[in-house]
Amino acid sequence: MDIFLQQIINGLVQGSIYALVALGYTMVYGIMGLINFAHGEVVMIGTLVTITVAGTMIKAGMPVVLAGFAGLSASVLVCMALGWGLERIAYRPLRNAPRLTPLITAIGMSIVLQNLAMMIWGRNYMTFPPLLPKMDFEVAGANFTAVQLIIVLVSSLTMGGLLLLVYRTKLGMAMRATSQNPAVASLMGVNINRVIAAAFVIGSALGALAGVMVGTYYEIAHYQMGFMLGLKAFTAAVLGGIGNLAGAMLGGVLLGIIEALGAGYIGDLTGGFLGSHYQDIFAFIVLIIVLMFKPSGLFGEKTGDRA
Amino acid sequence: MLEVTGLHVAYGGIQAVRSITFHVKQGETVALIGANGAGKTSTLKAISRVIDAVGGDVHFCGEKITRLLPHDIIRKGIALVPEGRGVFPRLTVAENLAMGAYVRDDKADIALDMERMYAYFPRLKERAGQLAGTLSGGEQQMLAIGRALMSRPKMLLLDEPSMGLAPIMVQKIFEVVRAVAAEGMTILLIEQNAKLALESSQRGYVMESGQITLNGESAKLLDDPKVRAAYLGE
């Protein structure tokens, strides 16, 4: 029982990170029908920028709190600029191109960003500076750390904030209107280019935050880390129903828990033949099952545009 | 108020609108009638900048608007009710109306105008919290007109408001169009239903294969034997 609870906690933490990244995919998809495969790389750059900024400051003897805050801010700003630039340079010129074209461009941008990161930060694994105090808590036989607690809390608050933005502000209403009918939204006076740019910038900011969390959680980072994380978050977005915000959140958390439970029990289930390092297969099993049986995802049903 | 001169619209090699010239004066309701494919919707789309004109000019209140961006047209005071209504299906009725007032910032006045729309269309008030995609076609048309009026336009462009609606709903929609016109709104009305359009307007233009072939006072057009034969089924 304590393994079960422990894996639920671990899954919740990992799932919160997936959810934040999945939101970046789903926001862009919801507005322009594009799967921005370079989003995982944006997250990776968010992690690496934090290492550079916070790591340098800590080495220079500055307080960890200040370094952490500066690292996070720098990472969010760099990623927002990156998201804005991606849309402006890579995707906007292809707005009216066939749908496959921007998709291939997205894969291309992902490769470009990965190589750029390799040139800047090198090929080696880098240690992420410890930004949060090491503390353990125990509840009903399961352990969790301060880092885990903070990851879940911060991502919940951020997601709540995003929902408020999308459902309670004028910008959010314009974003929803644009995703449903861009031509008519522009007749209402909405500058479509600005709304699309906003989706990229907000998604990238969430990605940067997720990047800092991943770094803090695993204490290690690498220029290729965005690839698998991006694929899993994409799976989470598909699981929840791509284009749907609540779906991305639920999909992320569910995927994290499925993965953690899978990793926890795969040894017992296969009689020790497969170990917990096979945990990655669960995300893709989920992806295949969703695509086969409910491609629209959990929340993917649309209300009909009838009459 | 609206002056269209030599407007030319083409899709690839297909000439949809061939150099048409017409105008709408302040406070007037003008009908643009013609068969399916005559180029009426293309004309409206070019005026509202949803598509680019190949040639010609559009002036509104003396200002050239031919090269404006689509999202700036409504700021000049032109609101389009698009063909097929174009409501946002997964926004509520109230949110759709709020989108109409997107270019305005005066919250208190927007709330007042929202009540005005509900007075025009009590049905919308009953369904204020419902998603627009769940409304009937007639209700969606009411919503599209209400939404356009929410921007407090100087001029309203209506694209086939009667399309696909039950006769009783068409009556209701046109009652509102006439009421809005009676309050001084300038309206350009595009319709396949020529009788209804001419009965609701002061002047009319008849479009055929991208050109204006007839124009004049609506009452006279209604009596014109050519119009009667071609569009009124006599």
Side-chain angles (χ1 to χ4, degrees):
Chain A
M1 191 61 203
D2 49 348
I3 289 188
F4 181 76
L5 190 61
Q6 185 67 54
Q7 290 307 81
I8 294 277
I9 290 174
N10 293 346
L12 198 61
V13 176
Q14 186 63 52
S16 309
I17 296 173
Y18 288 157
L20 279 182
V21 182
L23 283 168
Y25 280 98
T26 229
M27 283 179 79
V28 166
Y29 185 86
I31 285 192
M32 54 189 299
L34 164 74
I35 295 163
N36 176 20
F37 274 119
H39 187 57
E41 269 58 50
V42 173
V43 176
M44 171 269 293
I45 287 176
T47 315
L48 297 186
V49 165
T50 313
I51 293 186
T52 304
V53 173
T56 314
M57 286 176 75
I58 288 172
K59 264 183 213 140
M62 291 192 207
V64 175
V65 179
L66 187 66
F69 187 72
L72 176 65
S73 314
S75 143
V76 168
L77 288 177
V78 167
C79 288
M80 284 166 86
L82 193 61
W84 183 85
L86 269 179
E87 192 274 324
R88 193 75 192 75
I89 296 163
Y91 304 132
R92 193 178 297 183
L94 302 173
R95 196 74 60 76
N96 299 315
R99 276 172 76 138
L100 199 55
T101 316
L103 190 70
I104 293 167
T105 307
I107 295 170
M109 287 317 292
S110 153
I111 296 170
V112 167
L113 290 180
Q114 241 184 64
N115 283 279
L116 202 66
M118 186 186 74
M119 281 153 66
I120 298 174
W121 284 283
R123 295 167 160 279
N124 296 324
Y125 280 88
M126 302 166 77
T127 15
F128 197 90
L131 298 177
L132 292 171
K134 290 211 183 308
M135 275 192 284
D136 288 307
F137 306 91
E138 201 193 307
V139 174
N143 291 301
F144 61 93
T145 64
V147 172
Q148 290 183 312
L149 186 66
I150 287 173
I151 287 176
V152 173
L153 279 180
V154 171
S155 46
S156 309
L157 286 175
T158 310
M159 289 190 261
L162 180 72
L163 287 177
L164 283 180
L165 173 81
V166 171
Y167 287 96
R168 289 282 178 274
T169 67
K170 205 169 164 178
L171 172 66
M173 189 170 68
M175 292 174 96
R176 286 182 291 141
T178 304
S179 76
Q180 295 169 34
N181 193 336
V184 175
S186 78
L187 284 175
M188 303 293 126
V190 177
N191 185 337
I192 303 298
N193 285 334
R194 242 188 256 168
V195 167
I196 291 176
F200 271 90
V201 167
I202 295 169
S204 302
L206 298 177
L209 185 62
V212 175
M213 289 177 175
V214 173
T216 316
Y217 193 33
Y218 292 108
E219 299 173 347
I220 203 163
H222 185 234
Y223 76 98
Q224 280 178 330
M225 63 182 270
F227 178 71
M228 189 56 92
L229 181 60
L231 272 185
K232 297 226 184 122
F234 167 68
T235 305
V238 172
L239 171 62
I242 193 152
N244 184 305
L245 293 182
M249 298 175 187
L250 183 71
V253 171
L254 267 181
L255 189 72
I257 291 175
I258 291 170
E259 235 184 35
L261 289 179
Y265 291 105
I266 189 171
D268 295 344
L269 289 176
T270 59
F273 180 64
L274 298 177
S276 63
H277 50 281
Y278 275 91
Q279 69 159 357
D280 284 350
I281 66 171
F282 292 101
F284 302 110
I285 291 174
V286 168
L287 182 62
I288 290 167
I289 292 175
V290 172
L291 290 179
M292 276 173 73
F293 296 106
K294 197 163 190 320
S296 58
L298 295 174
F299 292 163
E301 315 114 302
K302 285 184 186 171
T303 61
D305 314 2
R306 77 183 172 95
Chain B
M1 189 172 211
L2 180 78
E3 276 167 66
V4 176
T5 37
L7 188 72
H8 205 101
V9 181
Y11 301 99
I14 301 157
Q15 312 288 315
V17 178
R18 304 164 194 228
S19 189
I20 64 167
T21 298
F22 69 94
H23 68 275
V24 182
K25 284 181 278 195
Q26 181 149 14
E28 234 185 352
T29 298
V30 169
L32 187 58
I33 59 174
N36 206 354
K40 307 183 302 291
T41 293
S42 299
T43 305
L44 270 206
K45 282 187 173 169
I47 294 172
S48 54
R49 301 286 301 117
V50 177
I51 55 173
D52 281 322
V54 180
D57 270 321
V58 182
H59 285 82
F60 184 67
C61 299
E63 191 186 345
K64 185 173 158 177
I65 59 167
T66 327
R67 292 280 163 250
L68 284 184
L69 291 164
H71 60 256
D72 285 329
I73 289 292
I74 197 166
R75 291 183 171 84
K76 297 291 174 196
I78 301 179
L80 170 69
V81 179
E83 186 181 21
R85 323 182 237 289
V87 298
F88 301 111
R90 276 161 286 132
L91 296 191
T92 63
V93 168
E95 285 174 328
N96 267 276
L97 289 175
M99 274 309 293
Y102 184 77
V103 290
R104 297 169 54 189
D105 282 319
D106 41 346
K107 274 196 180 153
D109 275 6
I110 292 174
L112 283 178
D113 278 357
M114 193 113 49
E115 286 309 316
R116 246 182 65 217
M117 294 312 137
Y118 290 148
Y120 275 138
F121 303 111
R123 188 76 68 88
L124 295 183
K125 183 164 192 163
E126 292 163 26
R127 316 216 150 174
Q130 212 170 306
L131 294 184
T134 64
L135 300 182
S136 75
E139 291 163 345
Q140 290 191 5
Q141 188 65 61
M142 294 174 178
L143 180 56
I145 294 175
R147 183 179 61 181
L149 290 173
M150 285 298 291
S151 67
R152 287 207 175 163
K154 294 180 190 146
M155 182 171 185
L156 200 57
L157 311 182
L158 292 167
D159 195 348
E160 303 266 9
S162 77
M163 190 171 75
L165 300 187
I168 183 145
M169 204 44 108
V170 174
Q171 286 303 325
K172 263 189 202 164
I173 299 282
F174 272 79
E175 268 166 35
V176 172
V177 171
R178 286 184 208 118
V180 171
E183 286 174 20
M185 179 66 70
T186 311
I187 298 176
L188 176 59
L189 170 64
I190 280 193
E191 260 298 339
Q192 282 192 59
N193 187 336
K195 185 165 184 283
L196 198 58
L198 292 173
E199 280 171 358
S200 314
S201 57
Q202 283 91 55
R203 290 191 304 118
Y205 293 88
V206 179
M207 252 185 122
E208 257 174 77
S209 322
Q211 288 172 313
I212 289 176
T213 49
L214 272 176
N215 73 83
E217 283 173 33
S218 298
K220 285 190 182 149
L221 286 175
L222 268 174
D223 287 333
D224 188 297
K226 273 184 284 180
V227 174
R228 296 187 77 91
Y231 301 106
L232 304 178
E234 289 176 20

